[in-house]
Structure formats: C-alpha cells, structure tokens
C-alpha cells in the first residue's frame, strides 16, 4: 500500500523549485531526497506533509486522496494522528524539562511515554533536565523520540541528523528504520548526508527542478 503519493507536484516562490514531481512510497519503505541547498528539499517535505499547499499537483497520504481538497479539520486530523515531522530545528518547549516536553506530546497525541524508546536514544536519564541544559545532539534525539512516541504512520524528516555526530546519527536512524518495519510505516527524509541516504531503501536527487531516482 502506498502511504505517500505525489502526482504532478510543482512549487515555486520567486522561481520554480520543482515541476511534475511524481513519487510513491510504500509501507516499511524509506526514501531519501538529496540536493544542494536551495534546491527545494524542505519545500517538498512541506508540500507532502500538509504544511504547504503546492502550486499544482495532487498529494495522497495513507489512503486519503488529494489532501489539499479536503477541509482544514480533516487536514489537522491527518497531521495529528497520522504524520510525524522531524524538523531541522527541534521545536522543544524551552520552559519545560525533558519529561514535561514528553508529557505535553503524550497528551496532545493520546500516546503513552515510551521509556524503552528513550533508552534507545540515550536520553532516559535526562528526564529532569531543562531543555536549555541539553546539548544540541541531545535536543535533536529528544525531538526525534517525541515524534516516534506519537506512533505516526508516515514520517517526514528534514535533516534529522544535522546536530548529531556520525556514529550517533547511524544509531538513531537504525532506531527509526526499525520503527518503520515494526509499525508498517513509511518515511521521506531530506538530507545532505550520503551515508544516511544510503541506509534508505531508495534515493532521489532534486536537481534542475526535477526529482529523479538514482541507483544506490
């Protein structure tokens, strides 16, 4: 089953970013998008994840066809219940400690705090730490754990390992890939990291306004 599908997707700001993008991503599948800065990787993630309406084209998510044709309440429901988005910035609540951040997410998504997941990310002993006391890498691991705790069917990730060292990046992504397999989920990840991209099932390049699949 295709969880993510784009047909004829195009987007532009001052200039055209990409045109006639077509992509299908199935359950348990991970797809990486590579491209130079400014090529449109983040905009593509935003178009596919309900955050930014494309200039043209259709986006289908988890059986919901043409999501930008449905009402705002339905889009919010998809965003809340079916999608997890890992941003370049962690967007944690700085006035709260780690546990409080997780509790807020737990309440909003009706999911329990997953202590086993926190252990896998190496942050289970940081629950009483204020966000400002964490390193950039710890903050990023917490933000990724918070997304997985939501139990999304679809994950969109924009440079999720940018604040992590090489070894930690690989360990974190292994946890994410395991999540996809266990939960029959799918992921699209925008990254500059070739090694992370090679861990994915498929790789695309966004170049000259076109999204083209490449052989690994």
């Amino acid at each position: 089953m295709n969880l993510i599908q784009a047909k004829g997707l195009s987007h532009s700001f001052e200039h055209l970013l990409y045109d006639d993008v077509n992509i299908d991503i199935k359950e348990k599948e991970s797809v990486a998008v590579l491209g130079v800065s400014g090529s449109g990787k983040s905009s593509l993630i935003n178009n596919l994840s309900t955050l930014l309406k494309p200039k043209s084209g259709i986006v289908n998510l988890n059986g919901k066809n043409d999501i930008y044709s449905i009402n705002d309440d339905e889009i919010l429901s998809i965003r809340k219940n079916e999608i997890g988005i890992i941003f370049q910035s962690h967007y944690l609540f700085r006035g709260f400690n780690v546990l409080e951040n997780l509790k807020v997410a737990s309440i909003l998504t009706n999911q329990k705090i997953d202590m086993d997941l926190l252990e896998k990310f190496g942050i289970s002993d940081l629950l009483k730490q204020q966000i400002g006391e964490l390193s950039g890498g710890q903050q990023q691991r917490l933000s990724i754990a918070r997304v997985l705790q939501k139990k999304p069917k679809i994950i969109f990730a924009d440079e999720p390992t940018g604040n992590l060292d090489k070894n930690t990046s690989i360990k974190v992504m292994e946890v994410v890939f395991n999540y996809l397999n266990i939960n029959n989920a799918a992921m699209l990840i925008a990254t500059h990291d070739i090694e992370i991209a090679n861990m994915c099932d498929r790789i695309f390049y966004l170049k000259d306004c076109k999204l083209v699949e490449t052989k690994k």
Side-chain angles (χ1 to χ4, degrees):
M1 176 182 174
N2 287 325
L3 295 184
I4 305 170
Q5 186 177 54
K7 297 179 180 180
L9 206 66
S10 300
H11 199 71
S12 61
F13 290 110
E14 292 82 7
H15 60 278
L16 182 66
L17 288 176
Y18 41 82
D19 182 53
D20 196 26
V21 165
N22 299 281
I23 190 170
D24 299 288
I25 306 177
K26 299 178 175 64
E27 292 179 341
K28 299 186 178 183
E29 192 171 34
S30 55
V31 171
V33 177
L34 297 169
V36 299
S37 295
S39 60
K41 299 188 301 299
S42 295
S43 294
L44 180 61
I45 291 242
N46 290 339
N47 283 161
L48 293 173
S49 65
T50 78
L51 295 180
L52 178 66
K53 185 176 181 179
K55 296 298 183 183
S56 62
I58 292 174
V59 177
N60 304 327
L61 295 177
N62 195 22
K64 312 298 192 300
N65 294 328
D66 195 5
I67 59 169
Y68 288 106
S69 69
I70 63 181
N71 63 52
D72 290 344
D73 287 341
E74 290 177 290
I75 288 180
L76 287 173
S77 178
I78 292 171
R79 197 179 297 165
K80 176 183 176 183
N81 299 311
E82 301 181 44
I83 293 174
I85 307 175
I86 303 169
F87 296 98
Q88 288 177 283
S89 299
H90 55 71
Y91 292 112
L92 299 168
F93 301 112
R94 287 196 170 273
F96 294 168
N97 63 27
V98 170
L99 181 59
E100 289 165 340
N101 266 269
L102 293 167
K103 283 182 176 179
V104 170
S106 177
I107 292 169
L108 292 175
T109 60
N110 298 316
Q111 295 289 346
K112 294 181 179 179
I113 295 174
D114 189 339
M115 292 305 298
D116 182 58
L117 185 63
L118 301 182
E119 183 73 30
K120 290 176 181 176
F121 280 120
I123 54 176
S124 59
D125 59 342
L126 302 176
L127 297 180
K128 294 183 179 180
Q129 295 288 104
Q130 294 294 315
I131 297 306
E133 297 173 337
L134 303 180
S135 68
Q138 290 170 332
Q139 291 174 352
Q140 190 67 12
R141 279 180 279 153
L142 173 58
S143 70
I144 297 171
R146 191 174 61 172
V147 168
L148 297 190
Q149 177 184 281
K150 182 181 178 181
K151 302 296 184 194
K153 194 70 175 177
I154 300 168
I155 296 174
F156 294 100
D158 191 357
E159 299 290 352
T161 60
N163 291 319
L164 305 176
D165 61 61
K166 180 178 178 180
N167 291 334
T168 303
S169 295
I170 292 172
K171 290 178 181 178
V172 164
M173 292 309 301
E174 285 174 345
V175 174
V176 175
F177 292 130
N178 186 56
Y179 172 89
L180 300 181
N181 288 323
I182 292 174
N183 294 279
N184 296 319
M187 178 175 67
L188 179 70
I189 174 174
T191 182
H192 284 97
D193 192 323
I194 299 296
E195 190 164 2
I196 295 299
N198 282 326
M199 295 175 71
C200 295
D201 297 305
R202 292 189 288 153
I203 299 175
F204 286 76
Y205 275 90
L206 190 55
K207 183 179 180 182
D208 297 330
C209 302
K210 297 297 180 182
L211 185 69
V212 180
E213 187 168 5
T214 182
K215 292 183 179 180
K216 293 179 63 175

